[in-house]
Amino acid sequence: MPESPSGYPILLNLQDKPVAVVGGGRVAARKVEHLLKAGARVLLISPEISQAMRDRFTEGAVNWIQSSYQRDIFNEYMPILVIAATDDARVNQTVAQDAHRIRALCNVANGSNEDSDFSNMARIDQPPLTVALSTSGKSPALLRLLKAKLAAEIGEEYGILADWLGSLRRAAHRSNGSQADRQALYENVLDSEVLSLLRAGKSDQARLLFDRIIQRDAAK
């Protein structure tokens, strides 16, 4: 039997994009929070929602249609992404069908992979760094183990260094250096003690070393 095709991992830019979540329980609430953090414009469809989601609605963070799911409800809102998170498998399947009808990508939480266009990945955030993990639904337990192990290793120092390297990358692209020169500079930073100093809480020393490496490279 041939293996099923693997997924194509991407990081979507959902800033100001319309997204719909159908359901009002714990799973739906978690999805909504992640979507809001990504900057999406969230439409929540459910007759009842948690107090936390009511607070989000009151503050204007989400739109809420207080009703059970109705066919073709997406036609007016036209989300590009839909998450079906009710506790009724038949409703979730209907949501997925309607999402596909308007060519939106759909995820059925805790449902059949046949109805889902994508799955949510376990993630570790140290902004601007994001590490995402998936077992393609094969083993949530293994996924939790891997996330815990990596989260213990990837601290805020990686996010700080990613910011510094991002600024360096923009400056390097404005220079006349070659790709090989730029790559050598990045590797010199990564091979240095900058990350170790950040991990030890010595951010000032780390920044001095970072700048020294850049200046040394510029002087060549």
Side-chain angles (χ1 to χ4, degrees), residues 2 6 32 44 63 73 82 104 108 127-128 139 157 183 189 195 200-201 204:
S6 60
V32 167
L44 186 58
N63 294 320
I73 202 169
V82 173
V108 178
S139 177
E157 66 274 6
Q183 187 62 36
V189 171
L195 189 59
D204 290 342

Side-chain angles (χ1 to χ4, degrees), residues 73-87:
I73 202 169
F74 298 141
N75 289 356
E76 179 178 352
Y77 191 72
M78 293 300 289
I80 65 167
L81 208 67
V82 173
I83 295 177
T86 77
D87 56 5

Side-chain angles (χ1 to χ4, degrees), residues 124-131 151 154-160 162:
I124 300 166
D125 285 313
Q126 291 293 350
L129 179 68
T130 298
V131 178
I154 302 174
E156 64 178 2
E157 66 274 6
Y158 283 89
I160 295 171

Side-chain angles (χ1 to χ4, degrees), residues 24-94:
R26 179 177 54 83
V27 173
R30 187 173 69 246
K31 304 291 187 183
V32 167
E33 289 298 337
H34 288 315
L35 290 167
L36 290 176
K37 187 179 294 185
R41 291 190 283 115
V42 178
L43 173 67
L44 186 58
I45 305 170
S46 179
E48 296 294 335
I49 56 177
S50 67
Q51 184 58 51
M53 289 300 97
R54 285 179 181 272
D55 292 342
R56 286 299 206 180
F57 170 69
T58 300
E59 67 191 27
V62 301
N63 294 320
W64 178 28
I65 297 178
Q66 189 176 4
S67 75
S68 299
Y69 183 75
Q70 306 294 322
R71 293 302 304 255
D72 301 324
I73 202 169
F74 298 141
N75 289 356
E76 179 178 352
Y77 191 72
M78 293 300 289
I80 65 167
L81 208 67
V82 173
I83 295 177
T86 77
D87 56 5
D88 188 320
R90 288 176 298 179
V91 172
N92 288 342
Q93 187 174 50
T94 299

Side-chain angles (χ1 to χ4, degrees), residues 105-158:
L105 295 176
C106 183
N107 169 254
V108 178
N110 300 321
S112 169
N113 288 335
E114 295 178 359
D115 293 323
S116 293
D117 300 301
F118 67 95
S119 59
N120 293 108
M121 303 172 74
R123 55 188 291 171
I124 300 166
D125 285 313
Q126 291 293 350
L129 179 68
T130 298
V131 178
L133 303 165
S134 172
T135 60
S136 299
K138 300 296 184 182
S139 177
L142 176 60
L143 194 59
R144 287 193 294 271
L145 175 65
L146 288 171
K147 181 180 178 180
K149 285 181 174 293
L150 286 175
E153 293 292 327
I154 302 174
E156 64 178 2
E157 66 274 6
Y158 283 89

Side-chain angles (χ1 to χ4, degrees), residues 185 211-220:
L185 174 57
D211 291 339
R212 192 179 304 132
I213 294 171
I214 297 172
Q215 292 166 3
R216 184 180 63 201
D217 180 86
K220 291 180 181 179

